[in-house]
Amino acid sequence: MTSENVPAVVARYFSAIGEMDPDAWAACFAEQGTSYEPGSPTPLQGHAALRQFLAGVLGAFEKITMTQDHVFLSGNRVAVKFTGRGTGKNGRAVVFEGIDVFEINQEGKIQTMWGYWNPAAMMAQLQG
């Protein structure tokens, strides 16, 4: 895995969210990849836990888009400042921002991801 390939791995991660595809999103991770998500009491590890998490989040949305506002690359690690925009199934609009930090393994999969965003604030917007 070369550092030139790292942004493509991250782009697939954000694209899968916009496509509302939990399977494609989980496939961005190594088989036992780990995600540290705010609001989750324990780290999410493995494809099944990752898929379940994203399916739960996406269940509140009619549509969602994710923009990679700034990408900072350092070897096999990358930090992304992102903006999410969506419409809830109830028709409410939501905008949220955060930073995700990724560590990519030699196979080109996300080994570890640390998320820094506020899920409670996002859900409050959706609920009105």
Side-chain angles (χ1 to χ4, degrees):
M1 173 102 235
T2 63
S3 62
E4 293 83 28
N5 297 333
V6 171
V9 173
V10 173
R12 283 194 304 273
Y13 168 96
F14 285 105
S15 177
I17 295 170
E19 294 164 6
M20 299 184 71
D21 187 343
D23 291 323
W25 185 79
C28 294
F29 287 82
E31 188 64 39
Q32 290 302 312
T34 302
S35 180
Y36 294 87
E37 294 287 346
S40 180
T42 60
L44 306 168
Q45 187 170 30
H47 287 178
L50 293 161
R51 187 180 305 106
Q52 181 179 358
F53 167 78
L54 188 63
V57 171
L58 294 176
F61 286 91
E62 186 66 36
K63 69 176 188 171
I64 188 170
T65 59
M66 300 292 288
T67 304
Q68 297 176 62
D69 302 325
H70 302 285
V71 178
F72 305 94
L73 181 63
S74 179
N76 71 326
R77 293 185 179 177
V78 61
V80 179
K81 190 283 184 187
F82 66 85
T83 302
R85 291 178 174 79
T87 305
K89 289 192 174 175
N90 60 7
R92 293 188 186 274
V94 62
V95 177
F96 59 99
E97 297 177 298
I99 297 171
D100 283 344
V101 179
F102 302 87
E103 182 176 54
I104 310 301
N105 69 18
Q106 289 297 320
E107 289 75 42
K109 299 287 188 171
I110 300 166
Q111 187 64 49
T112 309
M113 194 284 296
W114 297 266
Y116 301 90
W117 56 286
N118 188 336
M122 179 190 74
M123 294 308 289
Q125 287 182 60
L126 284 174
Q127 296 168 356

